[in-house]
Amino acid sequence: MATTEAPAVPSAAPPRLRIPSAALCGVLALFAALAAGHLVAGFISVNASPYLAVGNGAIDLTPVELKDFAVQTFGTYDKVVLLGGMAAVMVAAAAVAGVLSLRSPRPGVVIVALFGLLGGFAVHQRPDLTAVALLAPATSLVVGVAVFLLLHRIAPRKNPPAERSGGTSRRSFLLGGAGALVGAGVLGGAGQLVSGTRDATASRAAIGALVPAKSAPAIPADADFAKLGTPTFLTPNPKFYRVDTALSVPQLRAEDWSLRIHGMVERELRYGYSDIRNRPLVERTITMTCVSNEVGGDYVSTSDFIGVDLADLLAEAGVRPGAEQLFCTSVDGWTSGTPVAAALDRGRGAMLAIGMNREPLPLEHGFPARLVTPGLYGYVSATKWVVDIEVTTWKARQAYWLKRGWGEQAPIKTESRIDTPKGFDTVPAGAVRLAGVAWSQHNGIADVEIKVDNNPWQRTTLSTEVNVNTWRMWWTQIAVKPGTHQVFVRATDKTGYTQTDARAGTVPDGATGWHSTTFIAT
């Protein structure tokens, strides 16, 4: 007798997550993953934190023009903007990962895992980290996937099965989500506390005052025209410009610091902090300028630096013939190439500096030690947190910015700036005071002239010169009628070179052109 089989009933598709819940699964998993990685990084190195490692990688991969745009547009907030932009992109991607996982967690797991692998790759590429640092992104990956799977399993669904009512599901999800959020906060906070135990602030405070054996000459009272609108001659440490690639300020204690000098030398040497601190210290007044300083920009500052002659350290190592550059490495892996000739030029006065304005170097300016080479832009002359100097040739090693197309020698160009009046200021007609600064390290400023509208150039009054490695202030007074006026400024250095009016950007070796300002007389 024939039997008749019942027709197959198609199995019901798994219930779909609600879109807001699905997106939240991805975002909360991201928070938990980053917090867990940050905690593990606290025990290894803050740069092992996947979030910071990816940010540092982004900085390294950023085209020179875009990096320069960021510095000019956002100034010292460029890194905050980068981290904020990264956070927004990551949150959006995590939300999309959740939405793609409405029926199955598989797409979200894949995307979360890709985030983890990206963090691992970024950590692996860091020159200042060892293989153990990969534990941080590995932890992020495991925690991220686990949290995503857990939240996806308990998240509210459309048309849930009878045994799992919507109310129960929502309560479970709210509890699970709150737990993930609180857990992320606890893990991230713990990571910050652990990282804080490596803070170099206490080490810096223990150094005490730095008293040089050879002090810099006293700054003359008329070295600036601050009452007339110029900056003070010496820049207070908190106002000294800062431009570097470090997303987090390296925390290197003085007692852990050492400097290795090797390469094309007769003998390899290593100095500890006490070796430098206990030598006769010298103090020099030096103006530093960043190559990213546009015409009229404020990435120029002056300090009394305290340290030792770099030429003395190199002489002790014995530089061999044919050496061309000092390939200098920071504790975070950043590198610069300083011309050997400039470093050995005792008339220039290159230093291994440990202090600014009679204080130990601030953390953000290189504590425990940095290089300062007068007359050269900072990217070739002023490595912060320096721990290694390899004496070598230009062909053998290429430093960070040289690989990205910046110039090799980088002498600071003769420039000048108008500080008052500011652009589009309104001033009374009649006598108007103009004031500003000019610089041409290692040549010195001989003259500064201004031109109002289409009138001839006229000389200004210069402040007393401190030395050829520092800026020089200027001021003058003009008579103007009511209306809109434009003022140009140009400087002439002691070699006889007068600033060109040809405008050039900062890449590859510094900006050129006359600074100008427009004001309104009423």
Side-chain angles (χ1 to χ4, degrees), residues 81-101:
V81 172
L82 170 65
L83 290 175
M86 276 178 50
V89 170
M90 293 175 76
V91 167
V96 169
V99 172
L100 292 176
S101 305

Side-chain angles (χ1 to χ4, degrees), residues 433-457:
R433 183 175 64 238
L434 306 174
V437 297
W439 57 90
S440 182
Q441 311 94 295
H442 170 67
N443 297 314
I445 293 294
D447 198 12
V448 175
E449 302 167 285
I450 59 102
K451 182 163 79 89
V452 183
D453 300 326
N454 293 318
N455 295 314
W457 289 97

